[in-house]
Amino acid sequence: MGSFEGVLWCLAYILGLLATAIAPLPSRGDMSLQFSWQELIPLVSLVLAVVGLGIGTAIAIPRIVRTAPSPRSWLIAGFIAALAIVHIWYRQPIPAINDISQFINLPIEQTSPSTPTPQNNPVTVQGVVEDTPMLTRSHRARFWLAAQQLQIKPEETTEVTGRLYVTVPLLQATGIYPGDVVKVSGNLYQPKAAANPRGFDFRAFLARQGSFAGFSGKFVSLTSREFSDSPPWGWWQIRQKIARSQVFWLGSPAGELLSSMVLGSRAVDLPYEIKDQFVETGLAHVLAASGFHVSLLLGVLLFLTKKYAGKIQFMAGLLGILIFISLAGWQPSVARAGIMGFGVLLGILLDRKTKPLGSLLLAATLLLVTNPLWIWDLGFQLSFLATLGLVTTVEPITKRLDWLPTLISSLVAVPLAASLWTLPLLLHVFSVFSTYSIFVNILSTPLVTVISLGGMASAVAAVIYPIAGSSIAYALNLPIWTLIKLVEFFSNVPGNSIAIGSISLGQMLLVYGIIILIWLFPKIHRYWWLMGLGAIAMILIPNWYWQKQLFQATLLATPKEQVFILQNQGKIGLINASSSNTRDFTLVPFLRQQGINSLDTLINLAPNSPSLPQTAKAVYQLDKDNKQVIQTTTQPSLDIKETIDFAGLNLKILNPQIPII
């Protein structure tokens, strides 16, 4: 097998998985015992289409391009793509017959993923804790539970299976660790699907984790430590030891931030305020265990073992990668970085140069063979796109910045290359452009490098002697707080993020097509700026034109307050949405998806409720007696019988008590 055939077959497998976005595949869990072939029509049709495409390319391509692979290779590629479709369909998680989700009698509505409305009949679930309890936004503890028994009545116990997403009061989770067998009393509930555009689909989120039910717990009791006070051993103990050592002298949130930058935010309970600021400024990757961490780790280990033979370097590097993966957890970005790091070590051992693109493609294929569902994991997609950008685009950008000092040109080229390849996907998913992202990345790179290296040294020392780890961590106090203040400053700068509106899948693919053309064909490199302007125009012009022509009235699905949004040819009016849950989980995603950055008119019908943080030309709110509408900007108060200019339309409040408009 030639190298080109290997690349072709790897790409065929990945494209086969991506082809499942064309037509939704049937869920194996929806198939009844009375099997019907009609349920498999979408799957069979897609498989036959891919096989037909493989046969067509096997006939046509070798005749057009004489240096192309043989017809046999193209035919094999078609069948590999078809197998990929069947593989991802077969690997879809479905609830077992005795899955705990089968015992939910009534669907439960919930105000947000973290604050479910419980059932009236409490139950008790026994199971094994799978991970360390973490804090939710509503200040409850959450953890995964492998369910074993369900007790509906004191005398009625049923054997069950399945993963359960559990939230409990914070104090109830104290002293609970992975591996513990616990009993949790509370209420089962059905996770809620997204009810509004771009809302958080809690049901789909749990399904991707192999879970189909949630549990709002009230009390937790341990059942596995009757004869021992020590919890079962696990890597979580080392993570906890490192985190405690680093927080000991640094305090909070600096200590948690250092631990997150070393182990990843999934392994450390970082405050949401800090996490949100890093996301808003485009530094979310700093908190995710990724290739940056593996590169630093391998660089240090290879430097320390450079005097030794290749086998010693290989063993030291491999041991370091395995320990890091064990501490950070098996997740797409970590796994990808680990496989590519192993490729580098293998090249050192065999005294051969590794091809970064080949290593990246091989890593993607191996991971997707292991878990094909990762193809739709956003972390997996961003990790590979960012790495692809670093491999293919850093060098051309650096050459064009040769008028700058080498160090500065590298600082600019790395975040620019990664952002270039990830931005279209981020715009498609989140509809928001982080204005200062590249600039903040350039400023923060030296700080992040120093903190990460020092944090790794602190982690190693903490495992051996915690006070030594605390001492090293304390030495990083200045750069850590400098980074925190830098992120805090840019997250509060006006215009730090701009909602551009949802870009379609077609727009995203066209932009990536332009990027790939510039990368593959050197002859058009000189026209990169022109093609870049074309890509920007394809995103902005359709969205701008759509906004200027749109007349749309939207009543969002919210549990407590009625939220109404009027879009009238670029003018925006909003009624209500004063609670934090409504703003965060319902309103903000909708405004971003619609490309709305400011409001023309805002009206709060709830007396004395806080207004929204969005800028608005006119803000109205009922007074405490519901007798008049108070405008909080420039004009005087209006009598409740008067009309208000609401996004270009006249609005009148008829009865504030109900209220009727």
Side-chain angles (χ1 to χ4, degrees), residues 371-452:
N371 186 355
L373 298 173
W374 272 355
I375 192 69
W376 303 120
D377 183 272
L378 183 61
F380 177 90
Q381 296 168 349
L382 292 175
S383 175
F384 277 89
L385 285 173
T387 307
L388 181 61
L390 297 179
V391 171
T392 61
T393 315
V394 167
E395 185 177 352
I397 294 177
T398 304
K399 287 182 179 179
R400 293 189 176 276
L401 298 175
D402 57 0
W403 50 276
L404 290 173
T406 304
L407 180 60
I408 296 178
S409 62
S410 298
L411 288 176
V412 175
V414 170
L416 188 59
S419 299
L420 181 66
W421 283 85
T422 57
L423 183 59
L425 176 61
L426 290 173
L427 292 180
H428 175 65
V429 175
F430 297 111
S431 308
V432 175
F433 174 67
S434 184
T435 313
Y436 309 114
S437 172
I438 296 176
F439 184 61
V440 176
N441 271 276
I442 294 171
L443 292 179
S444 63
T445 296
L447 292 171
V448 171
T449 303
V450 171
I451 295 170
S452 298

Side-chain angles (χ1 to χ4, degrees), residues 224-286:
S224 62
R225 295 198 217 157
E226 297 178 0
F227 305 103
S228 174
D229 293 332
S230 301
W233 189 90
W235 286 98
W236 64 268
Q237 291 176 314
I238 299 179
R239 286 195 295 267
Q240 189 179 74
K241 190 174 184 179
I242 292 171
R244 285 178 176 176
S245 173
Q246 293 176 338
V247 172
F248 183 67
W249 279 350
L250 276 178
S252 180
E256 289 96 342
L257 177 60
L258 177 61
S259 300
S260 297
M261 293 176 65
V262 174
L263 302 174
S265 59
R266 292 189 181 184
V268 179
D269 218 348
L270 184 66
Y272 280 101
E273 181 182 359
I274 300 294
K275 191 182 298 184
D276 291 342
Q277 290 176 348
F278 272 76
V279 172
E280 290 171 2
T281 53
L283 292 178
H285 61 279
V286 172

Side-chain angles (χ1 to χ4, degrees), residues 1-15:
M1 180 187 71
S3 59
F4 196 90
E5 282 79 4
V7 171
L8 175 64
W9 296 343
C10 288
L11 288 175
Y13 180 80
I14 295 173
L15 292 175

Side-chain angles (χ1 to χ4, degrees), residues 132-269:
T132 304
M134 306 283 279
L135 191 66
T136 68
R137 290 185 182 273
S138 57
H139 302 289
R140 288 168 63 87
R142 60 173 173 84
F143 57 88
W144 290 104
L145 187 74
Q148 295 175 334
Q149 292 182 353
L150 175 64
Q151 187 177 6
I152 301 175
K153 297 179 181 179
E155 67 281 357
E156 184 179 343
T157 300
T158 306
E159 300 294 326
V160 294
T161 60
R163 299 186 80 201
L164 194 59
Y165 179 86
V166 179
T167 59
V168 296
L170 192 58
L171 291 177
Q172 290 294 318
T174 303
I176 302 297
Y177 301 105
D180 282 334
V181 179
V182 299
K183 286 185 177 181
V184 188
S185 300
N187 307 97
L188 275 173
Y189 64 89
Q190 177 71 45
K192 188 179 179 182
N196 297 290
R198 291 300 174 97
F200 180 61
D201 194 333
F202 189 43
R203 184 179 301 173
F205 168 76
L206 292 190
R208 288 194 297 269
Q209 316 297 320
S211 174
F212 304 93
F215 195 84
S216 177
K218 297 179 180 178
F219 304 102
V220 180
S221 60
L222 275 171
T223 64
S224 62
R225 295 198 217 157
E226 297 178 0
F227 305 103
S228 174
D229 293 332
S230 301
W233 189 90
W235 286 98
W236 64 268
Q237 291 176 314
I238 299 179
R239 286 195 295 267
Q240 189 179 74
K241 190 174 184 179
I242 292 171
R244 285 178 176 176
S245 173
Q246 293 176 338
V247 172
F248 183 67
W249 279 350
L250 276 178
S252 180
E256 289 96 342
L257 177 60
L258 177 61
S259 300
S260 297
M261 293 176 65
V262 174
L263 302 174
S265 59
R266 292 189 181 184
V268 179
D269 218 348

